[in-house]
Amino acid sequence: MLALIIALTFSVASAEWAIFAQHGAASQCTANSPSYFALEYNECHVILGLEARMTDGTTYNYYDGSDCEEEAAYSAEDINDCFEFEESQYAVAVATGLSRPVNQNFPFATIDYLGLGCDSSDMLADVRVYDADSAEV
């Protein structure tokens, strides 16, 4: 397994990203989140070859499968509102329109890949993002 660590120096040519706060229940979407993840706009993020997720910066779709071509199992029209991003798990966008999956409030991110391809179709887990407090280890 290859792990790629992304710091503030991470640069992406013309990509846009959104950072999401992950919650265990819809009622928790207004509380601080201990867990964050990022998605690149219009990029199908495939996890373990079993599930996939994608955002365009406004909407969100979750797929049971290894691509984003099937009908979405879960979807949301507005990522700025609390939504079910996978079964019994909720999220809300906390930063959008980013040029990279980090910013001043979320300065550190990690991506774990299954193989050597290092692309969004071969991910072990979501792009994990850490807030400034968590990154001060």
Side-chain angles (χ1 to χ4, degrees):
M1 168 179 53
L2 176 67
L4 177 64
I5 298 177
I6 303 169
L8 280 174
T9 56
F10 182 90
S11 66
V12 176
S14 62
E16 282 191 275
W17 292 79
I19 297 174
F20 298 87
Q22 180 177 338
H23 301 278
S27 63
Q28 298 173 340
C29 276
T30 56
N32 287 338
S33 175
S35 180
Y36 301 91
F37 66 96
L39 293 174
E40 184 178 354
Y41 289 10
N42 302 311
E43 188 71 30
C44 185
H45 291 245
V46 180
I47 311 299
L48 292 171
L50 302 173
E51 59 183 339
R53 51 184 116 254
M54 183 163 39
T55 187
D56 62 6
T58 302
T59 64
Y60 168 88
N61 291 300
Y62 171 90
Y63 304 88
D64 289 324
S66 61
D67 62 48
C68 296
E69 302 297 321
E70 305 284 325
E71 184 176 336
Y74 297 95
S75 62
E77 292 298 316
D78 185 355
I79 61 173
N80 294 305
D81 293 332
C82 186
F83 64 93
E84 191 170 18
F85 79 95
E86 63 182 41
E87 186 174 352
S88 300
Q89 294 293 310
Y90 293 82
V92 63
V94 293
T96 58
L98 304 173
S99 61
R100 52 192 175 187
V102 294
N103 67 13
Q104 185 175 358
N105 297 323
F106 301 94
F108 189 73
T110 61
I111 305 173
D112 293 326
Y113 294 101
L114 289 171
L116 300 176
C118 292
D119 64 41
S120 62
S121 66
D122 195 26
M123 297 170 63
L124 182 63
D126 286 312
V127 177
R128 302 307 319 164
V129 182
Y130 301 89
D131 61 21
D133 293 335
S134 299
E136 292 180 10
V137 178

